[in-house]
Structures are given as C-alpha cells and as structure tokens.
Amino acid sequence: MKHNKDFIYEYSDLNLFQTRTQILTGQYKDIIVEFGTSGVMTGIGYPVFNFDYTVYQAPNDFEPDSKFEEYLCNLLIKIVHHRNNDKESKIKLDEAASEYGTQSSIIKIAKEFYPERWGVHEPIVENMKAF
C-alpha cells in the first residue's frame, strides 16, 4: 500500500485533526473514510490496536466487515508511517489548525455532511411519520 498510489489522506475539514482518506485501488477503491481516535490498549494480556472510523462514501451495497476493518487497520498504520516520515507533517498540521473551517478539502464528500457554519444546511425533511 503506497501513498498517492493506493490511497491519499489529509486532515479533515469536518473534524479538526482527524484524518480523511480515499482508497484509490483494489477491492475498496473509491471508499472515503475518516479516522478518529486511535491507540494501543493494554491490560488484557496483549496489546490491541483500536481506532474509530466513519465511512463517508461507499457503494450502496457495501457493508463493513472484519476483513474491511483489518484493511483499515493496515491502512491507518501506513498513514501513520507516512506522516512520521513526512518532513512537512508539522507544517501541514499547523495549517490545518490555523485554517479550521476554511481549509479546502482535496478529498471531497457530499455537502450534506458539512455543518451549517460553512453555508450548507441540513436537508429539509417533510411529511415524516413516526413508527
């Protein structure tokens, strides 16, 4: 898995300091996922790598499963490795932090995910019925 070949990533313009990623090749091509909190949990006899993610774009029939989550685990490790070796990583982090709410995302997701403060409003739903 290689950056700019198999995946691209950026700081999220929705959730500051989270990482938005687009998969460019393979079985999960064109899926857009955003990684949240991640870390290694200990105390259960062996270390476990945990992470949160949100899928923002996927085929209609896509259902995340353990194989997909294993793929995401490996992808997140590649992103961390790439970021650690990126000499401009601190500059990119500072830019994301200072331009919160104004940065332009390279990895585009549907506008309905953006909060109202960026000029996009929630869709209006009419004639809802409780069930």
Side-chain angles (χ1 to χ4, degrees):
M1 231 184 287
K2 295 187 185 234
H3 177 254
N4 282 337
K5 179 182 180 268
D6 299 309
F7 66 92
I8 55 175
Y9 70 92
E10 65 187 4
Y11 288 103
S12 170
D13 59 349
L14 286 177
N15 303 302
L16 185 60
F17 303 131
Q18 292 189 1
T19 300
R20 182 174 303 156
T21 306
Q22 183 169 4
I23 302 166
L24 302 176
T25 61
Q27 177 181 0
Y28 304 114
K29 183 180 187 301
D30 296 328
I31 290 179
I32 296 175
V33 63
E34 195 159 282
F35 292 103
T37 306
S38 64
V40 177
M41 182 176 74
T42 58
I44 57 172
Y46 53 90
V48 176
F49 181 52
N50 286 325
F51 59 92
D52 295 331
Y53 69 92
T54 302
V55 175
Y56 281 110
Q57 177 178 299
N60 289 337
D61 61 347
F62 175 75
E63 287 292 328
D65 58 14
S66 60
K67 186 177 174 186
F68 177 67
E69 290 184 350
E70 184 176 332
Y71 177 88
L72 289 184
C73 180
N74 291 321
L75 176 59
L76 186 53
I77 290 168
K78 293 290 185 183
I79 290 169
V80 169
H81 180 74
H82 185 268
R83 189 170 275 158
N84 284 339
N85 291 317
D86 183 356
K87 294 177 183 170
E88 295 183 8
S89 182
K90 175 70 168 91
I91 294 167
K92 292 173 186 173
L93 175 64
D94 291 342
E95 287 175 355
S98 68
E99 297 178 15
Y100 182 60
T102 61
Q103 76 182 39
S104 178
S105 178
I106 295 168
I107 302 171
K108 302 293 183 191
I109 60 173
K111 291 186 181 204
E112 55 266 12
F113 292 111
Y114 286 86
E116 194 171 307
R117 67 179 167 209
W118 284 300
V120 178
H121 303 280
E122 293 287 324
I124 297 172
V125 179
E126 296 178 355
N127 300 323
M128 291 279 295
K129 294 183 181 179
F131 60 93

